[in-house]
Amino acid sequence: MLQENNKSLSIVIPVFNEVNFLNELFQQIKKFFNNNNTEIIVVDDGSIDGSSNLLSELKKNNNYKFSFKIIRLDINSGKGKAIQIGIKNSIGEYILLQDADLELDCKDAKEMFEMISSNKDIKCIFASRYSSGKLKKNNFFLNNLVGKLNSLIFNIFFSQSLSDVHCGLKILHRSVIEKIKLSINDFGIEIDLASQIVKNNFFIYEFGVSYFFRSKVQGKKITWVDGLKSFYYLIKVRFFDNSASTNLSIAYSSAYMAFVGSHFGMGLGNTLFIIIFFILGSILGIHFKVLSSTIIFFFIFVGSLFGKGNGTTLAVIIFFVIGLFIARKSKLFFSNTKFSNYL
């Protein structure tokens, strides 16, 4: 990143074989962002369809006011890698991530920039294709289902309430960019980006946008394989890409919750309880460190001493909720003290 910053906005656009859309995209950018305070950074991710030549022609056109950079990669390295390189070469106070395929409208991008730049408390806005009354064209049910399922899993893992983690249109303040370190090179970049923003305690706002789905014939790059990989990335960023203390908490909570689960049911039912409680423990370990997890475990143990049969189950659930409440209150009470790293 350059030290001198005289740009309000950097628009990073990853491009791979988008020759059919670049002219229209360029016209939209000129319509909504044609000013001296904006830089356009197009990362040509090894295109072989003529996109590179067309980008050069567009750059030679002097009928625009914004700064126009083209970064060419010799081989296709993935959307995530292209975005990382674009961000590293940006200087704007705000960084807007915009896809080149025209599924999303630059008019919405302009509205997002106006919103975030006029409210200094907002550091991050994600576009959402599912939370607006704007025009949409989307007749691919499976893609829609996978996108919503991934968002649901992300929300469970990170205690969020996002409707569309995978939407490619996002805008971030420079302070957010300086806190995160992206590492996923393919379409998993959306999960990588969202998870790191949340882990660094930035709040993600959402803005409903128009959406015009394109088919594989029209050049859509993402496939069912990327859909499967997204589930792997969700697990990776939540349960493995953590600090040592968080990983210890996950292991500790998973172990004691699996132990609790072993006291329920018989045969196959007992195995299912162990698995369910293990998963629940891993999620608890994300949000509670060892000491606060121990508080929860202690109350579960106390609950197990009451009643028999179903009565014990009910007592364990009640004391679990009580333990969860006390652990959360303890975490908040000690949040600004030296004990915060242990709660």
Side-chain angles (χ1 to χ4, degrees), residues 127-191:
S128 172
R129 298 162 293 181
Y130 307 129
S131 64
S132 77
K134 295 185 177 180
L135 194 63
K136 292 184 178 65
K137 178 187 177 184
N138 184 10
N139 58 340
F140 286 82
F141 171 76
L142 186 59
N143 295 72
N144 206 32
L145 178 63
V146 172
K148 290 184 176 181
L149 179 59
N150 277 340
S151 295
L152 174 62
I153 295 173
F154 180 89
N155 290 335
I156 294 172
F157 282 175
F158 290 93
S159 297
Q160 298 294 301
S161 186
L162 300 177
S163 62
D164 192 2
V165 172
H166 287 286
C167 187
L169 180 58
K170 299 174 172 68
I171 187 165
L172 315 170
H173 188 264
R174 174 66 61 181
S175 60
V176 178
I177 294 298
E178 291 174 348
K179 285 283 188 178
I180 63 179
K181 185 176 181 181
L182 301 173
S183 61
I184 296 178
N185 292 335
D186 55 21
F187 289 105
I189 187 68
E190 313 294 356
I191 295 173

Side-chain angles (χ1 to χ4, degrees), residues 21-65:
F21 300 96
L22 291 177
N23 274 313
E24 175 61 25
L25 175 66
F26 189 75
Q27 292 304 315
Q28 285 195 24
I29 290 174
K30 283 176 59 178
K31 181 178 180 180
F32 296 108
F33 296 101
N34 195 22
N35 59 74
N36 295 322
N37 294 321
T38 298
E39 66 169 353
I40 309 299
I41 303 175
V42 177
V43 183
D44 180 2
D45 190 19
S47 296
I48 56 175
D49 69 338
S51 293
S52 300
N53 293 333
L54 180 54
L55 285 170
S56 297
E57 293 176 11
L58 291 171
K59 185 173 183 179
K60 291 178 183 177
N61 178 0
N62 293 320
N63 189 25
Y64 54 84
K65 298 179 181 179

Side-chain angles (χ1 to χ4, degrees), residues 116-254:
I116 196 172
S117 60
S118 63
N119 190 330
K120 299 303 180 181
D121 292 330
I122 301 177
K123 302 300 182 183
C124 173
I125 301 178
F126 281 18
S128 172
R129 298 162 293 181
Y130 307 129
S131 64
S132 77
K134 295 185 177 180
L135 194 63
K136 292 184 178 65
K137 178 187 177 184
N138 184 10
N139 58 340
F140 286 82
F141 171 76
L142 186 59
N143 295 72
N144 206 32
L145 178 63
V146 172
K148 290 184 176 181
L149 179 59
N150 277 340
S151 295
L152 174 62
I153 295 173
F154 180 89
N155 290 335
I156 294 172
F157 282 175
F158 290 93
S159 297
Q160 298 294 301
S161 186
L162 300 177
S163 62
D164 192 2
V165 172
H166 287 286
C167 187
L169 180 58
K170 299 174 172 68
I171 187 165
L172 315 170
H173 188 264
R174 174 66 61 181
S175 60
V176 178
I177 294 298
E178 291 174 348
K179 285 283 188 178
I180 63 179
K181 185 176 181 181
L182 301 173
S183 61
I184 296 178
N185 292 335
D186 55 21
F187 289 105
I189 187 68
E190 313 294 356
I191 295 173
D192 190 17
L193 183 62
S195 65
Q196 292 200 43
I197 290 172
V198 172
K199 287 180 180 180
N200 282 281
N201 299 315
F202 290 102
F203 188 85
I204 299 175
Y205 291 80
E206 284 193 300
F207 180 80
V209 298
S210 299
Y211 178 55
F212 307 97
F213 184 89
R214 68 172 182 169
S215 66
K216 187 175 181 180
V217 174
Q218 294 171 309
K220 192 165 186 70
K221 309 297 189 304
I222 195 167
T223 67
W224 64 270
V225 175
D226 296 297
L228 292 178
K229 289 171 69 176
S230 67
F231 294 111
Y232 159 73
Y233 286 133
L234 282 167
I235 294 173
K236 176 180 181 293
V237 299
R238 181 62 282 182
F239 296 108
F240 296 97
D241 295 348
N242 301 303
S243 63
S245 61
T246 299
N247 285 333
L248 175 62
S249 300
I250 292 173
Y252 175 70
S253 296
S254 299

